[in-house]
Amino acid sequence: MRPRARKTPPLGIAIDPTGAAPLHRQIGEQLRRAILERRLAPGTKLPSSRLMATELDCARGTVLLAIDQLIAEGYLVTQVGSGISVAANLPDEMLVSPGVDGPPAGSAADAPILSRRTIDLLATGLSPQAPFGDPAIAFPLGQPDRDAFPYRLWAKLLEQEWRKPTWQVAGAPHPFGHPGLREAIANYLGVARGFTCDARAIIVTSGLRQSIATLARMVLDAGDKAWIEDPGFRGTREGLAAADVRAVPVPIDASGFSVEAALELAPDARLAIVAPSHQFPLGTVLGLQRRLELLSWAERTRSWIVEDDFDGEYRYSGRPLAPLRALDRSGRVAYLGSFSKLLFPTLRLSFLALPPSLVEAAEKIMVGVSPRASLLGQGALARFISEGHFAAHLRRTRLLYASRQEALIASAERHLAGLLEIAPDPAGMHVIARPHADIASTFDDVAAVAAAAAASVSVASLSACYAGAHKERGLILGYAGTPEVEIERAIARLQTALRNLY
Amino acid sequence: MRPRARKTPPLGIAIDPTGAAPLHRQIGEQLRRAILERRLAPGTKLPSSRLMATELDCARGTVLLAIDQLIAEGYLVTQVGSGISVAANLPDEMLVSPGVDGPPAGSAADAPILSRRTIDLLATGLSPQAPFGDPAIAFPLGQPDRDAFPYRLWAKLLEQEWRKPTWQVAGAPHPFGHPGLREAIANYLGVARGFTCDARAIIVTSGLRQSIATLARMVLDAGDKAWIEDPGFRGTREGLAAADVRAVPVPIDASGFSVEAALELAPDARLAIVAPSHQFPLGTVLGLQRRLELLSWAERTRSWIVEDDFDGEYRYSGRPLAPLRALDRSGRVAYLGSFSKLLFPTLRLSFLALPPSLVEAAEKIMVGVSPRASLLGQGALARFISEGHFAAHLRRTRLLYASRQEALIASAERHLAGLLEIAPDPAGMHVIARPHADIASTFDDVAAVAAAAAASVSVASLSACYAGAHKERGLILGYAGTPEVEIERAIARLQTALRNLY
C-alpha cells in the first residue's frame, strides 16, 4: 500500500503523516514560517480550524493544538467574534522574503565570524588527520594495550556500585572525590611507593593538567614562575597556563633536572615540576644527589615541588629510587599519579597527593579549588584497587610491555640499521629512537613523523617536546599498546618511509 | 597468643612483622632515616647482613633487599673487600638533628606559603559549612529527587556498555563525545524541542561552564564582551571568565532580557547569553517580540546567542514557547541543555548544540576546543534516552515536582503568612519567596539564609544572584529534591527562624 499522499491545502501547508514530527508540530512549524515569510501577512484572518482540518485531512484537535501554540508564542491573536488572525505587531526585520529557507548560504560576507584565536588555531593545522575513532596501532604515545584490561570485571564493578548508590556518590560528592577511592589510593601509595599519605590529602582529578593547575593555583599567584623540565610533557605547560603561572623550561642534562641550572635561569621560581623516576620523554632517572638538592632548595626557599610519577608502575629491571615524596621531611612535595594510561584512556582519573601542610587550606576552599573529576567510575576503581585487581593488572601488563619493548628493539635492529638507534629503557611505555650517525646531521624528525604517518605509523617527534632553543632530534615510539605482530609490520613500514627520506 | 614482640636490634631499627609494609621496606625506611638523621654517620660501616638478619629475626634475603635498595638510591656504598658503608657525600643540609620526625610543626615562620589568591579565597569564607556528604533535604537548588532515578536500570546499562567496549569508547573517543549519545540528543531535540539539529553539531560537555567557555572561545577573543542576564546564574559568568570574555550584566525587566537595554550598556557586545524559556532565578519567560528582537540583533550584527534551556523539561502548565534555536534562520544560536539536574547531579553530562555554521571549524580544531567530558556514562545515557527511559523519567518527575511545588506553596500559606509570599511558577525546580510588604523594607535575605541554615534549612539568597547594584531581596527555594513531608517540616522551621528575625 502506498503511504498516504502529502496534501497541499490552504496556506501552503503540507503535512506528512509518516514523518517523525507530530502532525500538530508540522502544522505549527509551517504556519510560523508562512507568517515570518509574509506569505501570511500581519492581520490576515485564518480559515476556521474545522476547515483547515478538513483540508489537511487531520483531526480538528490537531489543528487547534498548533494554533494554541502560535497564540502562546504571539504569532497569532484571537479576537472574540472575529476568529483568529496573524499578529499585527511582528517586527519588520524578522519578516523575510519568501523562499529563504534556513541559514543563508555561505558567501564571504555571510561567513561565520570566528574569533581570531580560533582562526589562529585553525591555521596551526591541529589534528589535520582527525586521529579519532581508530588511530594507528603502532606506535601511539601513552596508550596501554587495548585488550589487557579486564572490562567484564570492570563492568560488573560499575553495575554493583550504581545499583543502589548513596547520595554521597549520586548527588553530593566530596569535591576531592569518592572517599573509598581516596582511601584506596592512599593505601596503594604506602604499599607501592613507600610513603604514608593521609587519604584526606588525596584529590581525585581528571588528569595531569587539572592536578597541576589545582596545586599551582593554591601556592602560586598569577605571573609567578615555575621550573619545568626541557624537554617535557606539553600537558605540564598547559596545566601551569591554566593557573596563569609562567613556565620556565630548564634544560635537563644526562643526570636530569638540576637545581643549579634552574637557579641561573629563574632564581625567583617558587615551584619545580619534575618526573624524577622516569623523565618524559628521555627516561632519565634523577639521582639521589639531585633529589636531595631539589628538596633542600624547596625547604630553604619555602618553595614547592610537583613530582609527576606518570609511568612509575612500569619498571622492567633495576629498582626504582624512593620517590621525592618519601624523602620529603618539610612537606613541600605534591605527588601526581594517573590511572588512565595504566587501565584505559577514557577512564580519565588521576590524583594529586597534597603536601600535608596544604590539606587544611584545600579543604576550606574545596569548592573553589577546581572543577571535579567525574564520579561515575570512582567507586568501581576504588574496589578495583582495594580488591587486588589493579596490582594483578599491573603485573600482567608489566610482562606484556617488557616483551613488547624487546620485540621493538629486536625489530629495529633488523630493519632500521643505519637509520635509527634505539637504546633499551628499563622503564616506561615508550622508547626514544635517535638518528644513526650517518644521517644525524640532516635528520629532520618532523619530516620523519609526517613520512611515518603517511605510511600509517604513528610516531612522535622528540624535538617537539622542547620549549627552548636547543632541541635534540629523534622519534618517540610508544610500544605498550602495540602487539608484537604489529610492531614488526610497522617497523618495516617505518624503514621504507625513512629510506625514502635518507 | 600475643603478637611477636617488636625487636630493638642494632642501629635502632625495629621491625613489626604484623605491620602493613613489607619487612624489607620497614628496614630500608629506618636505615634511610638513621642515615639522614646522622645516627649512622657518613662513612660508617654496616654490620654484615647475616648479623643484621639474626638480630632482626628475619631472613637474610630481606635485609639484602633493603640494602640493595639503599645502594641503588645512593645512601649506602659497597666496596670490594670492605663490606657496605654509609655514603660519604650526602649533602649537609639534608642531614638533620635526631628526633626530627616528619614536617616541622607549624610555627608562624614555618607556615605553608599559600598564594595570595588562595588566602583571598579563604577569606571569602566559601562553603563555611562544608555542605558535602549529606546536605539538607530542604530546599537545595538544582537538586532532583534522590530516589526517582532508576539506578538499577542505569547500573545494568553501564554494565552492558562496558562489558566489551569498542576502542572508540575505551581508548580513542571522538572529542565531541560518544557518537550514540550525540545522535540520541539530536533526535531528542527534534522530538521534544521542535528543531532539527545534526548530531555532528552536538558537543557533549561536563556542564554549563564548559559549554559556555567552549562556544565563547570559538567566536569571541579575549577581552570581548558578552551580555548576561542580571540576576542570573553564577556559572554563566564563570564560563565566560574561563574564556577570558567580559560579562556585561544586563538588568532584566518584567518581560525578561531586552536588547534595547543591553545595547545601551554595551553596544559592542558580540554574544548574548539568555535563558528564554525560564529565566534563572526569576522564572520570566521571554516573549516572542523580545525573542525576535534578539535574533534580529544577532543576524544584523553577526553576533551570537547562547540559549540556556537549563530546566525547560519541567513545565507544569501552559505551553512552552518555541526555543530561539527553532526560530533562528541565520544560524546564530547555540543551544545548551544538561542532564545532571534531570537525572542525578554527579552524572555531570551536558551538551552544546553548535550553530550549524560553526560545526566545520569546531571539527577542525576539535583537539583544541576544550577538555572532554567523561566517556564513562555516555553510552549508557545514549541508551537511556533512545530506549525511552528518559522520557518516562521526565513524565514521572514532572508529576512529582508539580505536586511538590503545590505542597510547598500550601505549606507556605499556612506558616509564612506575613513573612514570605510565594507565587506559583508554571515551570522549573524552584520558586522565589518574596518578603511580605510588612517586612520588605528591612528584609535582609543574606541574614535570612544564615538563620535558615542554622535551622538546617537550605535556601539561597536572591540578591546574591545579582551582579549589578540594583538587587531584589528574596529567597530561592528548590523543591524538586524535597519530599512533601520534609517540605512541611522545613517550612515550619523556616517560619521559626524568620520570626526570630522579624
Side-chain angles (χ1 to χ4, degrees):
Chain A
M1 213 180 96
R2 278 177 63 219
R4 230 162 12 146
R6 283 179 167 234
K7 291 262 175 185
T8 326
L11 317 171
I13 295 179
I15 62 174
D16 176 7
T18 67
L23 293 186
H24 69 87
R25 200 186 294 282
Q26 293 186 33
I27 297 169
E29 180 60 36
Q30 292 184 62
L31 278 176
R32 187 187 293 114
R33 186 164 293 276
I35 293 167
L36 290 173
E37 292 174 359
R38 266 196 266 236
R39 285 181 279 120
L40 281 175
T44 308
K45 193 159 171 302
L46 287 200
S48 77
S49 56
R50 195 175 306 274
L51 181 60
M52 288 175 68
T54 308
E55 302 258 355
L56 285 163
D57 193 14
C58 68
R60 185 170 164 237
T62 305
V63 173
L64 288 176
L65 264 178
I67 288 176
D68 282 359
Q69 172 72 31
L70 292 173
I71 291 171
E73 296 183 0
Y75 288 95
L76 298 178
V77 291
T78 176
Q79 282 152 313
V80 183
S82 75
I84 290 160
S85 52
V86 177
N89 61 346
L90 297 171
D92 268 357
E93 64 267 33
M94 288 311 296
L95 306 175
V96 296
S97 344
V100 171
D101 193 61
S107 73
D110 292 326
I113 311 169
L114 296 172
S115 59
R116 281 187 301 277
R117 50 186 169 180
T118 303
I119 291 166
D120 291 347
L121 204 54
L122 282 169
T124 64
L126 259 181
S127 67
Q129 308 148 57
F132 304 110
D134 206 12
I137 289 269
F139 296 98
L141 262 182
Q143 181 179 300
D145 184 70
R146 296 184 179 201
D147 302 314
F149 184 70
Y151 289 106
R152 292 191 76 89
L153 167 68
W154 174 250
K156 193 186 292 290
L157 292 174
L158 276 176
E159 199 273 333
Q160 289 167 0
E161 287 295 309
W162 281 97
R163 199 185 283 169
K164 206 173 178 339
T166 63
W167 188 246
Q168 283 85 338
V169 168
H174 191 287
F176 288 7
H178 189 291
L181 180 57
R182 298 169 68 203
E183 198 70 53
I185 291 172
N187 287 339
Y188 153 80
L189 291 175
V191 173
R193 287 290 172 264
F195 61 87
T196 54
C197 176
D198 192 329
R200 280 176 57 207
I202 305 289
I203 302 183
V204 181
T205 70
S206 62
L208 172 96
R209 288 163 188 77
Q210 199 191 1
S211 295
I212 287 180
T214 300
L215 190 278
R217 228 178 271 122
M218 282 199 68
V219 297
L220 297 191
D221 281 302
D224 284 353
K225 289 179 196 160
W227 296 329
I228 59 170
E229 297 174 321
D230 195 33
F233 180 56
R234 198 180 64 159
T236 303
R237 273 175 275 168
E238 293 169 0
L240 288 175
D244 290 320
V245 167
R246 288 154 65 190
V248 179
V250 178
I252 66 165
D253 60 25
S255 310
F257 182 88
S258 148
V259 172
E260 202 181 330
L263 283 170
E264 272 176 33
L265 285 169
D268 53 343
R270 296 277 321 287
L271 171 66
I273 304 185
V274 292
S277 62
H278 192 234
Q279 204 273 340
F280 181 87
L282 296 180
T284 321
V285 177
L286 196 66
L288 179 67
Q289 189 77 19
R290 291 274 177 96
R291 289 180 189 228
L292 295 179
E293 281 164 13
L294 190 56
L295 288 165
S296 167
W297 162 79
E299 185 167 5
R300 199 172 61 238
T301 62
R302 296 211 273 163
S303 299
W304 304 91
I305 298 168
V306 167
E307 174 173 31
D308 177 14
D309 202 4
F310 67 102
D311 64 0
E313 288 301 341
Y314 292 116
R315 174 154 288 275
Y316 311 114
S317 62
R319 203 181 290 279
L321 293 182
L324 284 171
R325 172 78 173 220
L327 304 174
D328 173 29
R329 292 166 308 107
S330 52
R332 293 280 155 189
V333 178
Y335 180 93
L336 310 190
S338 171
F339 297 100
S340 305
K341 283 197 192 70
L342 307 180
L343 306 182
F344 56 96
T346 54
L347 180 61
R348 299 200 54 227
L349 290 177
S350 296
F351 65 89
L352 157 66
L354 287 174
S357 52
L358 294 178
V359 173
E360 202 184 332
E363 283 179 345
K364 283 195 187 134
I365 57 170
M366 41 174 66
V367 174
V369 288
S370 176
R372 305 165 192 188
S374 167
L375 252 281
L376 273 183
Q378 293 192 29
L381 179 58
R383 285 187 54 199
F384 191 79
I385 297 171
S386 64
E387 293 174 8
H389 309 298
F390 182 53
H393 174 72
L394 291 177
R395 279 195 301 274
R396 277 193 310 273
T397 48
R398 209 176 281 127
L399 293 173
L400 184 67
Y401 299 169
S403 67
R404 285 183 177 176
Q405 191 193 119
E406 278 176 34
L408 169 57
I409 289 174
S411 181
E413 280 168 2
R414 280 194 296 280
H415 294 292
L416 299 178
L419 288 167
L420 295 175
E421 289 178 343
I422 303 180
D425 189 326
M429 299 166 75
H430 71 264
V431 288
I432 304 281
R434 292 182 163 84
H436 187 271
D438 292 350
I439 64 166
S441 61
T442 59
F443 186 73
D444 175 349
D445 58 2
V446 175
V449 166
S456 298
V457 179
S458 165
V459 299
S461 140
L462 175 56
S463 67
C465 296
Y466 285 83
H470 171 80
K471 297 178 203 297
E472 186 187 356
R473 286 163 299 174
L475 301 179
I476 313 177
L477 281 64
Y479 53 81
T482 308
E484 294 183 26
V485 51
E486 295 283 343
I487 287 176
E488 175 68 12
R489 205 153 42 198
I491 288 291
R493 280 205 225 133
L494 184 60
Q495 175 190 25
T496 311
L498 292 178
R499 278 277 166 240
N500 290 337
L501 290 178
Y502 302 103
Chain B
M1 213 182 95
R2 279 175 63 218
R4 235 169 0 154
R6 284 177 167 237
K7 293 261 176 185
T8 325
L11 318 171
I13 295 179
I15 62 175
D16 176 7
T18 66
L23 293 186
H24 69 88
R25 200 186 295 283
Q26 294 186 33
I27 298 169
E29 180 60 37
Q30 292 184 64
L31 278 176
R32 188 187 293 117
R33 186 165 291 278
I35 293 167
L36 290 172
E37 292 173 0
R38 265 195 267 238
R39 284 181 279 122
L40 280 174
T44 308
K45 195 159 168 305
L46 287 200
S48 78
S49 55
R50 195 176 306 276
L51 180 61
M52 287 175 67
T54 307
E55 302 258 356
L56 285 163
D57 193 15
C58 68
R60 184 171 165 237
T62 304
V63 173
L64 288 176
L65 263 179
I67 288 177
D68 282 357
Q69 172 71 31
L70 292 173
I71 291 172
E73 296 184 359
Y75 289 95
L76 298 178
V77 292
T78 175
Q79 282 152 313
V80 183
S82 75
I84 290 160
S85 52
V86 177
N89 62 346
L90 296 170
D92 268 359
E93 64 267 31
M94 290 310 297
L95 306 175
V96 297
S97 346
V100 171
D101 193 60
S107 73
D110 291 328
I113 311 169
L114 296 171
S115 58
R116 281 186 302 277
R117 50 186 169 180
T118 302
I119 291 166
D120 290 348
L121 203 54
L122 283 169
T124 63
L126 259 180
S127 67
Q129 306 149 58
F132 305 109
D134 206 10
I137 289 270
F139 297 99
L141 261 180
Q143 182 179 299
D145 185 70
R146 295 184 179 201
D147 302 315
F149 184 71
Y151 289 106
R152 290 189 79 88
L153 166 68
W154 174 250
K156 192 186 294 287
L157 292 175
L158 276 176
E159 198 273 332
Q160 289 168 0
E161 286 294 310
W162 280 97
R163 199 185 283 169
K164 205 173 179 335
T166 63
W167 189 245
Q168 282 84 340
V169 169
H174 192 288
F176 288 5
H178 189 291
L181 179 57
R182 298 169 68 204
E183 198 70 52
I185 291 172
N187 287 339
Y188 153 79
L189 291 175
V191 173
R193 286 291 171 266
F195 62 86
T196 54
C197 177
D198 192 329
R200 280 176 57 208
I202 305 290
I203 302 182
V204 181
T205 70
S206 61
L208 171 96
R209 288 163 189 77
Q210 200 191 1
S211 295
I212 287 179
T214 300
L215 189 278
R217 228 177 271 124
M218 282 198 69
V219 298
L220 296 191
D221 281 303
D224 286 352
K225 289 179 195 159
W227 296 329
I228 60 170
E229 297 174 320
D230 195 31
F233 180 57
R234 196 180 64 161
T236 303
R237 270 175 277 169
E238 292 169 359
L240 288 175
D244 289 320
V245 166
R246 288 153 67 192
V248 179
V250 178
I252 66 165
D253 62 24
S255 310
F257 182 88
S258 148
V259 171
E260 203 181 330
L263 282 170
E264 270 176 33
L265 285 168
D268 53 343
R270 296 278 321 286
L271 171 65
I273 304 184
V274 293
S277 62
H278 192 236
Q279 205 273 342
F280 181 87
L282 296 179
T284 320
V285 177
L286 196 66
L288 179 67
Q289 190 76 21
R290 292 273 178 97
R291 288 180 191 228
L292 296 179
E293 282 163 12
L294 189 56
L295 288 165
S296 168
W297 162 78
E299 186 169 4
R300 200 172 59 238
T301 62
R302 297 210 274 164
S303 298
W304 304 90
I305 298 168
V306 166
E307 174 173 30
D308 177 14
D309 202 4
F310 67 103
D311 63 3
E313 288 300 341
Y314 292 116
R315 173 153 289 276
Y316 310 115
S317 62
R319 203 181 291 279
L321 293 182
L324 284 171
R325 172 77 174 220
L327 303 174
D328 174 29
R329 291 168 307 107
S330 52
R332 292 279 154 190
V333 178
Y335 179 95
L336 309 191
S338 171
F339 296 100
S340 306
K341 284 198 191 72
L342 307 180
L343 305 183
F344 56 95
T346 54
L347 180 61
R348 299 200 54 228
L349 289 177
S350 296
F351 66 89
L352 157 65
L354 287 174
S357 53
L358 294 178
V359 172
E360 202 184 332
E363 284 179 344
K364 284 196 186 133
I365 56 169
M366 40 175 66
V367 173
V369 288
S370 175
R372 305 164 193 189
S374 168
L375 253 280
L376 274 183
Q378 293 193 29
L381 180 57
R383 285 186 54 199
F384 191 78
I385 296 171
S386 64
E387 292 174 9
H389 309 301
F390 183 54
H393 174 72
L394 290 176
R395 279 194 301 274
R396 277 195 308 273
T397 48
R398 209 175 281 127
L399 293 173
L400 184 67
Y401 298 169
S403 66
R404 284 181 178 177
Q405 191 193 119
E406 277 176 33
L408 170 57
I409 289 174
S411 181
E413 279 167 5
R414 280 194 296 279
H415 295 291
L416 300 177
L419 287 167
L420 295 175
E421 289 178 342
I422 303 180
D425 188 324
M429 299 166 74
H430 70 265
V431 288
I432 304 282
R434 292 183 164 83
H436 186 271
D438 293 351
I439 64 167
S441 61
T442 59
F443 185 73
D444 174 349
D445 58 1
V446 174
V449 166
S456 298
V457 178
S458 166
V459 298
S461 140
L462 175 56
S463 67
C465 297
Y466 285 83
H470 170 79
K471 298 177 203 297
E472 185 186 356
R473 285 162 301 173
L475 301 180
I476 314 177
L477 281 64
Y479 53 82
T482 308
E484 293 182 26
V485 51
E486 294 284 343
I487 288 176
E488 176 69 12
R489 205 152 44 197
I491 289 290
R493 282 205 223 134
L494 185 59
Q495 175 191 25
T496 311
L498 292 178
R499 277 277 166 244
N500 291 337
L501 290 177
Y502 302 104

